[in-house]
């Protein structure tokens, strides 16, 4: 019996509700079709609400205090990475590839780390380097996005940067990337990029993956590939014409979009008012690029419309990839997953981007699965996580994992059976991010959620069935005592394999 192929298509900072099929006014026809052809999980969460921990968890199938990447700026141990799903499948006979943004190691390390993803070390990886990296035998990576500056000029950078500057017109393209037309109402980090879409990293990522599927992989072996798009991450710099696809006047604003720091745990206020701690460069990044002040409704409409454009641009690439699978005769034996590393508040409670307030917009992510044996048109509200992806691959391929798994296979749910009690998220923050140290752990069921700071004991709990916008913190409310006991019991089921707190090598 043939082993199935596996393909992850991921975005960065794509909220779970920002799909047309979820009811928001964003144009995602290809993702909506994927949902109709397969299974959509409506209670899928991220294992951590920032990039590096979440991505390391997808690869390893472990929570971040176990694999050690408990915040951005901490490099994933290469031995652990090699034993993630890519290396494990590779040793079982799979051909493996990675395309786009990896972020298993820090870009902005203060000193060279010897990793290809380190800007300072990227100069040591020449034009003939295509891996291996973190268990993937073939990689084509980028270091440039998402940032407020254009792609790095060689000799820094990797495959995308070399592509960008290859024709000698890189400086002209860089000006186009930063250029914008139209009034964005002073919205933070928002402009209509003038970079032609064929030079944009979203288009490039799909191009390189499609080329590998058609010409680069070993056709005698099953494959496992991860196609990783940078957007819809800030800055909100969608290129024209995609940036104008959604009229700001017609986008849907959050129901509650003012900062409501009362009746919240103490760290909510600290996270938006404290100064980060660290060296001058890190404080600048955390205080400006990683934080956005509360926006007016007019400004928020500009940000949301631009974000929707980024998502629609990715959606077109998803359509191209799915067509490539069909044309190559691969679709009938390929499990395809679309997801994101985490979400974005996108104006909920007056907040934008991400941080230690795991409201649904940040915690819940899209998770669509289609392929052989996957129930078509299924919608399930069982609480799951992208932590489950690695275990799912091992189950379908019938191989043993290379690491102890915190995730569980999604296959029973995809087959139309099975159930889950809860999914878990955790995040260990040092004072370099929001000025205070936090040890956050979240559990989410179908209808409720609890987040607790294990250092201070402060917590928040929401009855999502009665309070979907998370307006009333019912932690320590006698009327919800039974729910609190249930959720705190789930919270304590985290496996006892927590590692040490690690020191970041840079801000991210």
């Amino acid at each position: 019996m043939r082993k199935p192929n596996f393909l992850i298509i991921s975005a960065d900072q794509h909220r779970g509700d920002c799909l047309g099929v979820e009811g928001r006014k964003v144009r995602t026809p290809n993702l909506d079709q994927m949902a109709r052809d397969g299974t959509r999980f409506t209670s899928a969460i991220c294992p951590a609400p920032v990039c590096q921990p979440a991505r390391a968890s997808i690869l390893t199938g472990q929570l971040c205090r176990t694999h050690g990447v408990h915040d951005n700026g901490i490099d994933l141990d290469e031995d652990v990475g090699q034993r993630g799903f890519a290396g494990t499948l590779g040793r079982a006979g799979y051909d493996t590839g990675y395309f786009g943004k990896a972020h298993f190691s820090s870009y902005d390390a203060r000193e060279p780390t010897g990793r290809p993803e380190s800007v300072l070390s990227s100069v040591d990886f020449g034009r003939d380097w295509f891996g291996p990296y973190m268990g993937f035998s073939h990689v084509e990576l980028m270091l440039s996005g998402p940032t407020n500056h254009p792609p790095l000029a060689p000799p820094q950078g990797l495959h995308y940067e070399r592509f960008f500057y290859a024709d000698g017109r890189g400086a002209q393209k860089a000006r186009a990337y930063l250029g914008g037309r139209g009034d964005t109402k002073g919205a933070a980090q928002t402009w209509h990029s003038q970079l032609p879409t064929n030079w944009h990293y979203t288009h490039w990522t799909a191009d390189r993956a499609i080329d590998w599927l058609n010409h680069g992989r070993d056709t005698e072996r099953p494959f496992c590939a991860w196609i990783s798009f940078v957007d819809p991450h800030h800055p909100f710099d969608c290129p024209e014409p995609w940036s104008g696809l959604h009229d700001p006047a017609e986008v849907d604003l959050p129901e509650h979009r003012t900062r409501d720091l009362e009746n919240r745990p103490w760290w909510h206020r600290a996270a938006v008012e404290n100064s980060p701690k660290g060296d001058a460069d890190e404080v600048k990044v955390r205080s400006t690029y990683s934080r956005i002040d509360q926006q007016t409704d007019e400004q928020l409409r500009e940000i949301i419309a631009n974000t929707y454009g980024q998502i629609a641009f990715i959606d077109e690439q998803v359509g191209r990839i799915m067509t490539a699978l069909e044309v190559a005769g691969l679709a009938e034996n390929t499990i395809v997953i679309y997801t994101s590393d985490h979400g974005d508040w996108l104006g909920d409670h007056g907040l934008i981007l991400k941080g230690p307030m795991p409201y649904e917009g940040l915690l819940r992510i899209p998770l669509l699965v289609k392929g052989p044996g996957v129930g078509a048109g299924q919608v399930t509200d069982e609480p799951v996580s992208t932590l489950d992806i690695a275990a799912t691959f091992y189950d379908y391929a019938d191989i043993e994992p290379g690491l102890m798994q915190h995730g569980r296979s999604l296959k029973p749910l995809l087959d139309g059976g099975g159930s889950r009690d809860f999914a878990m998220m955790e995040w260990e923050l040092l004072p370099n991010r929001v000025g205070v140290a936090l040890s956050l752990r979240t559990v989410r069921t179908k209808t409720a959620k609890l987040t607790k700071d294990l250092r201070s004991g402060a917590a928040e709990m929401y009855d999502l069935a009665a309070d979907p916008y998370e307006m009333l913190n019912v932690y320590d409310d006698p009327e919800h005592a039974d729910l609190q006991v249930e959720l705190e019991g789930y919270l304590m089921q985290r496996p006892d394999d927590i590692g040490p707190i690690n020191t970041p090598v840079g801000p991210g």
Side-chain angles (χ1 to χ4, degrees), residues 20-301:
V21 73
E22 285 267 352
R24 292 198 70 155
K25 298 178 181 179
V26 57
R27 300 183 188 182
T28 55
N30 292 295
L31 291 170
D32 294 348
Q33 184 62 51
M34 185 176 173
R36 289 189 291 269
D37 292 341
T39 296
R40 174 165 61 98
F41 291 87
T42 61
S43 296
I45 69 169
C46 59
V50 288
C51 297
Q52 274 186 265
R55 290 162 180 268
S57 288
I58 293 171
L59 181 66
T60 63
Q62 296 182 332
L63 290 160
C64 68
R65 285 302 310 276
T66 297
H67 60 61
V69 186
H70 54 75
D71 201 358
N72 284 355
I74 300 171
D75 289 351
L76 178 63
D77 182 274
E78 291 187 79
D79 177 64
V80 174
Q82 288 283 348
R83 291 186 287 146
F85 71 74
T88 303
L89 289 170
R91 288 184 288 274
Y94 276 72
D95 197 4
T96 56
Y98 197 107
F99 306 90
K101 173 185 175 178
H103 215 177
F104 299 126
S105 304
S106 178
Y107 298 150
D108 299 320
R110 301 177 188 90
E111 303 291 339
T113 63
R115 303 285 185 93
E117 292 191 85
S118 161
V119 170
L120 297 176
S121 294
S122 63
V123 298
D124 299 324
F125 292 81
R127 291 183 174 274
D128 59 348
W129 182 80
F130 291 90
Y133 184 57
M134 295 295 174
F136 293 92
S137 58
H138 179 90
V139 300
E140 298 186 46
L141 307 178
M142 57 175 298
L143 299 187
S144 294
T147 59
N148 284 312
H149 59 75
L152 300 162
Q156 292 182 329
L158 292 173
H159 306 91
Y160 172 69
E161 289 77 14
R162 293 166 192 153
F163 160 82
F164 190 89
Y165 287 94
D167 64 356
R169 294 185 294 168
Q172 177 184 340
K173 295 174 201 166
R175 288 192 295 273
Y177 166 71
L178 291 172
R181 290 192 300 209
D183 180 10
T184 57
K185 315 301 182 186
Q189 299 187 36
T190 305
W191 70 91
H192 299 268
S193 175
Q194 301 301 297
L195 179 68
T197 55
N198 59 309
W199 293 104
H200 195 274
Y201 42 73
T202 293
H203 194 274
W204 175 86
T205 299
D207 271 357
R208 300 318 308 145
I210 291 170
D211 184 73
W212 183 81
L213 288 169
N214 287 333
H215 308 295
R217 63 187 177 83
D218 182 349
T219 58
E220 299 300 313
R221 301 161 61 193
F223 70 82
C224 176
W226 188 340
I227 305 172
S228 174
F229 293 105
V230 169
D231 285 335
H233 199 288
H234 65 107
F236 310 104
D237 57 355
C238 187
E240 290 185 337
W242 296 96
S243 63
L245 185 64
H246 300 82
D247 183 349
E250 296 180 1
V251 299
D252 32 10
L253 291 174
E255 185 77 16
H256 300 282
R257 51 189 183 276
T258 57
R259 292 192 176 176
D260 48 356
L261 300 175
E262 308 306 322
N263 193 36
R264 309 290 181 182
W266 64 270
W267 75 76
H268 283 225
R269 185 176 296 279
V272 298
E273 295 182 356
N274 282 11
S275 295
K277 296 179 181 178
D279 61 38
D281 288 341
E282 186 161 15
V283 169
K284 181 179 179 181
V285 169
R286 297 293 185 215
S287 300
T288 56
Y289 176 69
S290 298
R291 283 186 182 178
I292 288 181
D293 291 335
Q294 188 161 352
Q295 303 286 285
T296 66
D297 279 0
E298 193 175 41
Q299 292 167 335
L300 186 56
R301 287 184 180 279

Side-chain angles (χ1 to χ4, degrees), residues 411-463:
K411 188 174 185 298
L413 298 172
L414 297 170
D415 290 341
S419 64
R420 298 289 181 91
D421 291 327
F422 67 95
M424 183 176 289
M425 180 276 283
E426 67 182 14
W427 188 18
E428 190 79 24
L429 294 81
L430 302 179
N432 65 321
R433 181 171 285 276
V434 294
V436 293
L438 295 167
S439 186
L440 299 182
R441 190 175 297 171
T442 297
V443 289
R444 188 193 189 281
T445 68
K446 291 181 181 180
T447 59
K449 178 168 61 180
L450 169 67
T451 298
K452 195 165 193 174
D453 171 35
L454 302 185
R455 290 174 178 265
S456 67
E460 57 186 327
M461 187 173 77
Y462 301 101
D463 179 350

Side-chain angles (χ1 to χ4, degrees), residues 13-15 17-18 24 49-50 236 253-254 256-257 259 267-268 271-272 290-292 300 303-304 342-364 427 433-434 449 470:
Q13 217 156 287
H14 187 171
R15 290 169 57 114
D17 64 356
C18 282
R24 292 198 70 155
V50 288
F236 310 104
L253 291 174
H256 300 282
R257 51 189 183 276
R259 292 192 176 176
W267 75 76
H268 283 225
V272 298
S290 298
R291 283 186 182 178
I292 288 181
L300 186 56
I303 289 173
I304 293 173
H342 53 80
D344 187 318
W345 294 313
L346 208 61
D348 292 347
H349 302 276
L351 301 167
I352 299 173
L353 309 184
K354 52 191 179 285
M357 294 81 95
Y359 294 120
E360 287 289 275
L362 179 60
L363 186 70
R364 194 168 76 86
W427 188 18
R433 181 171 285 276
V434 294
K449 178 168 61 180
E470 300 170 272

